[in-house]
Amino acid sequence: MSGAAFLEGDRVELRTVESEHVEFLHETVNDPRVRRGIAASDPVTRVTEREWVESRGDGDDISFVVSVDGDPVGTIGLKPPNVVTGAAEVGYLVAPDHWGNGYATDALRTLCGYAFGERRLNKLYANAYETNPASTRVLEKAGFEREGVHREQGFVDGDHVDVLRYGRLADEWRDEEKVGDAETGVASDADGWI
């Protein structure tokens, strides 16, 4: 087990990024199946990955390792939020051996709870390539709505492709939390500690 479990979802834990994750992150981000989904065209060396891991905490972005039973299966994070609008971009990836288990969806739902409930952000948004329908399904299952299309803004496997923009508002998340609480009869702390 590595990294402290900072958040717990139904299926996954979001853990702090630690030096022992370098090898997993290096292998995953360089996997051709993952690179295609995030349109990464440059290789990432172990040194570069280690520098990224060591820089966690230096900026305003937030990164987690998505884990199942303490074992890493992916990553998720927030880019630095816009301090005026309260909006932040979210990004995620899951190692191919763990695709199809709902881990990305659970991680994204968990991150939404943190971003809206603890960080008081107003909006989360994400971009997905039209060539990555699995990512759009994750976003939709996590309550994100398609907001628009950036025509041929991406470049995947030698082709210009559309980038789909998705967003989720804090009010939508709160409304969903209240419905879930009413159905289960469990009180939520989504509105504060008072």
Side-chain angles (χ1 to χ4, degrees):
M1 192 175 304
S2 56
F6 186 78
L7 297 167
E8 292 183 358
D10 292 332
R11 296 179 181 197
V12 301
E13 308 98 33
L14 302 188
R15 295 181 171 273
T16 57
V17 179
E18 304 292 344
S19 59
E20 58 263 26
H21 296 126
V22 170
E23 189 61 32
F24 167 78
L25 296 168
H26 175 254
E27 292 294 325
T28 302
V29 79
N30 283 300
D31 187 303
R33 296 166 293 178
V34 172
R35 288 188 320 101
R36 194 171 298 112
I38 61 174
S41 56
D42 297 327
V44 177
T45 66
R46 280 185 184 82
V47 170
T48 302
E49 198 65 55
R50 181 170 307 285
E51 289 170 354
W52 180 82
V53 167
E54 290 171 355
S55 74
R56 299 304 82 212
D58 291 347
D60 292 332
D61 58 326
I62 299 169
S63 301
F64 296 105
V65 170
V66 179
S67 297
V68 175
D69 298 325
D71 296 323
V73 299
T75 64
I76 192 165
L78 296 170
K79 289 192 176 178
N82 181 306
V83 295
V84 175
T85 65
E89 183 176 4
V90 63
Y92 51 87
L93 61 85
V94 172
D97 290 346
H98 302 284
W99 289 353
N101 293 305
Y103 298 152
T105 302
D106 189 40
L108 185 53
R109 286 177 178 152
T110 303
L111 189 66
C112 285
Y114 171 69
F116 297 137
E118 294 186 46
R119 299 294 298 226
R120 297 180 301 168
L121 293 178
N122 184 57
K123 180 177 184 172
L124 294 181
Y125 62 92
N127 295 306
Y129 295 100
E130 68 175 325
T131 54
N132 190 353
S135 188
T136 61
R137 281 192 306 274
V138 165
L139 290 161
E140 290 166 359
K141 285 194 231 176
F144 283 69
E145 292 187 24
R146 186 167 154 181
E147 297 180 329
V149 177
H150 300 279
R151 296 178 309 134
E152 296 189 7
Q153 188 169 320
F155 193 71
V156 179
D157 291 336
D159 293 318
H160 288 96
V161 300
D162 292 346
V163 176
L164 310 176
R165 169 73 178 256
Y166 282 80
R168 180 141 199 220
L169 299 175
D171 286 344
E172 296 165 347
W173 174 79
R174 281 189 203 89
D175 290 346
E176 186 177 291
E177 288 293 300
K178 289 177 184 173
V179 168
D181 294 342
E183 289 174 356
T184 62
V186 176
S188 169
D189 62 356
D191 290 324
W193 297 0
I194 298 174

